Amino acid sequence: MSNQNGLNRRVFLTGASALSVTGFPAHAQAQAAFPTRPISLIVPFAAGGSTDIVARLVGQKMGELLGQSVVIENRAGAGGNLGSTAVARAAPDGYTILMGTISTHALNPAILKTVTFDPVKDFTPISLLAIVPNVMVVHPDFPAKTVPEVIKLLKENPGKYAYASSGVGTPLHLSGELFKSLGGVSMNHVPYRGAGPALNDVVSGAVPIMFDNLPSSAQFIRTGQLRAIGVTTKARVSSFPDIPTIAEAGLTGYETYTWNALFGPANLPRPIVDKLNSVANAALTDANVKQRLNDVSAEIIGSTPEALGEHVKIEVAKWFPIAKASGAALE
């Protein structure tokens, strides 16, 4: 698989130390024994979505490797803000961790009317697990078939065409806004309450264009009910190698995707960070986990904590001005 933002894809496994804890303070002994009880993995979205799927796949395997259950807790609300805030305010002991996303750590800080956490200062990065590509799709009757043709059509007909997304302030909404910004074009945004109803309207022809997670659109593309213009990642995806990237097809610098990563509260002790990083990245090498993630076109990463920390800073810098310019706002 290709590199993304210089991330280290090698599994970062830390060896267990054989040092005696005799005479160590109680907190040091607790860290050495970690975990001694189940871990709560907070998913800040409803069950059944792509973030929940990744969490359950990776969490189950992590639990097997740790010898303690990793319990998935779905705490949906405010675009992921409720669950993220709960982890930011949790005790830094490793027993409450977060499945964070581009929404929780790059978009929400820009579009929430009340920001309840700092995406950099209030969390300890653990590992970037996977990247899920987005795709620009159109109804088969849409007259443009390539990125340059789409841009030309939109420039000749400003405001005539609309694009659908899964909701205001979502990565898919802002994928469209980035396309507009870099392409210098005008499109109306039609937000839906989820990808399902949006896809239905694009398939029916009610809305001609959509930016979607590739797994959601995959079957429609395969059956010819939708035509893919381009994937949004820097490199082509293995599940659809014939679909060009939007960047290579003519819109230089265009890149968006959805990502899933593990975070703990701020000031999580390094031995606990290393242990969680080790088992999370080891879980990604499990044959079943790899197959299931590949099935949904997810690109497996498995990073160091430092690489995830840098990734978040880059994403915040990239998306903050785009999110602000979009006018999206969440309570």
Side-chain angles (χ1 to χ4, degrees):
M1 293 180 181
S2 63
N3 289 333
Q4 294 278 0
N5 295 327
L7 292 169
N8 182 358
R9 292 165 188 267
R10 294 175 299 170
V11 177
F12 179 75
L13 298 176
T14 53
S17 172
L19 295 175
S20 168
V21 297
T22 304
F24 277 23
H27 72 274
Q29 294 186 38
Q31 290 175 25
F34 176 85
T36 59
R37 54 187 171 87
I39 295 170
S40 293
L41 174 51
I42 306 298
V43 176
F45 304 101
S50 60
T51 300
D52 182 67
I53 291 170
V54 173
R56 292 180 187 277
L57 280 173
V58 175
Q60 180 179 352
K61 193 62 184 180
M62 286 178 65
E64 294 174 10
L65 296 171
L66 288 168
Q68 291 286 347
S69 298
V70 175
V71 180
I72 307 301
E73 294 186 25
N74 296 94
R75 297 192 192 179
N81 193 52
L82 294 183
S84 302
T85 300
V87 176
R89 296 175 178 174
D93 56 12
Y95 290 100
T96 304
I97 57 178
L98 174 72
M99 182 62 76
T101 70
I102 186 174
S103 291
T104 62
H105 279 68
L107 303 183
N108 285 358
I111 64 178
L112 284 166
K113 292 183 177 179
T114 302
V115 180
T116 53
F117 60 81
D118 184 296
V120 174
K121 296 179 181 178
D122 291 338
F123 295 92
T124 300
I126 296 172
S127 177
L128 177 61
L129 302 177
I131 286 174
V132 178
N134 302 326
V135 63
M136 183 182 188
V137 292
V138 297
H139 186 271
D141 292 339
F142 189 67
K145 295 180 171 60
T146 65
V147 170
E149 289 179 2
V150 171
I151 292 174
K152 182 175 183 292
L153 183 66
L154 295 177
K155 284 185 174 181
E156 292 174 348
N157 301 275
K160 177 180 178 179
Y161 294 98
Y163 76 95
S165 83
S166 56
V168 173
T170 62
L172 305 176
H173 169 202
L174 296 182
S175 291
E177 294 303 305
L178 182 62
F179 188 93
K180 288 167 57 178
S181 175
L182 293 180
V185 298
S186 173
M187 286 188 291
N188 298 315
H189 175 227
V190 183
Y192 289 78
R193 292 191 175 185
L199 279 168
N200 288 338
D201 272 8
V202 179
V203 170
S204 71
V207 182
I209 305 167
M210 182 176 178
F211 290 83
D212 188 29
N213 292 136
L214 181 56
S216 301
S217 290
Q219 190 58 30
F220 294 106
I221 295 170
R222 291 188 177 106
T223 59
Q225 293 173 279
L226 291 175
R227 183 169 67 246
I229 298 295
V231 293
T232 66
T233 41
K234 185 178 295 184
R236 297 192 184 199
V237 299
S238 58
S239 55
F240 286 92
D242 294 334
I243 301 177
T245 71
I246 290 176
E248 75 173 280
L251 198 57
T252 303
Y254 187 94
E255 182 187 13
T256 75
Y257 44 78
T258 301
W259 48 263
N260 297 113
L262 289 179
F263 297 88
N267 303 314
L268 193 63
R270 186 67 198 210
I272 292 177
V273 174
D274 287 344
K275 191 159 192 177
L276 290 171
N277 175 277
S278 172
V279 296
N281 289 340
L284 295 173
T285 69
D286 177 76
N288 179 60
V289 173
K290 288 173 66 176
Q291 184 60 54
R292 292 285 302 281
L293 291 176
N294 286 333
D295 287 345
V296 296
S297 300
E299 183 177 6
I300 297 170
I301 306 296
S303 77
T304 63
E306 291 76 17
L308 173 55
E310 286 303 309
H311 176 75
V312 170
K313 292 176 183 177
I314 290 169
E315 290 285 271
V316 170
K318 173 182 178 178
W319 285 107
F320 195 90
I322 297 169
K324 283 292 187 186
S326 74
L330 290 175
E331 295 293 340

